[in-house]
Amino acid sequence: QVQLVESGGGLVQAGGSLRVSCAASGRSFSSYAMGWFRQAPGKEREFVAGISTSGRVIDYTDSVKGRFAISRDNAKNTVYLQMSSLKPEDTANYYCAAASYTGSRSANMYHTWGQGTQVTVSS
């Protein structure tokens, strides 16, 4: 049982950087693999990055490799997504999500979702 709240979204110029955060409340945060997803208008929600319970295993979708970095601080019950070299196509509502067992690129494997935070990249 966990609740997730994203923050840190906003407007940024192309080529710039932004860090979004996901704060978790409730017990057993460290027992969940975490993921970041994004959804742009008219498009399906897509996997962006995932991180294992300990942070030892990290996965990124190809389009963000080398630009985005996911991390977690279990002591702070927080997951981060550091985004750099942002492109207009990164514009989307960004969601964090928790999975009970192992992480996945499939959204239906995550049982708890935050409300999302909007990231807009201007050209």
Side-chain angles (χ1 to χ4, degrees), residues 1-104:
Q1 295 179 343
V2 64
Q3 293 179 325
L4 307 174
V5 179
E6 301 94 335
S7 63
L11 177 65
V12 63
Q13 184 178 336
S17 299
L18 196 67
R19 187 178 75 166
V20 291
S21 301
C22 175
S25 62
R27 294 175 173 83
S28 301
F29 170 75
S30 62
S31 297
Y32 302 122
M34 301 294 297
W36 283 98
F37 293 77
R38 65 187 181 187
Q39 187 168 23
K43 294 187 176 181
E44 295 292 319
R45 187 169 299 186
E46 68 169 337
F47 171 82
V48 177
I51 188 167
S52 64
T53 57
S54 66
R56 295 179 62 187
V57 181
I58 293 174
D59 186 29
Y60 300 101
T61 192
D62 287 345
S63 64
V64 307
K65 286 181 179 178
R67 300 190 298 118
F68 289 13
I70 187 173
S71 62
R72 69 189 296 162
D73 187 338
N74 287 345
K76 296 181 179 179
N77 283 5
T78 303
V79 179
Y80 306 95
L81 184 67
Q82 177 67 49
M83 301 177 286
S84 61
S85 300
L86 282 161
K87 305 173 181 179
E89 52 262 46
D90 295 319
T91 295
N93 201 6
Y94 283 72
Y95 300 87
C96 66
S100 293
Y101 300 100
T102 58
S104 174

Side-chain angles (χ1 to χ4, degrees), residues 100-115:
S100 293
Y101 300 100
T102 58
S104 174
R105 293 189 175 190
S106 177
N108 62 17
M109 296 300 295
Y110 293 82
H111 57 75
T112 305
W113 294 79
Q115 84 288 351

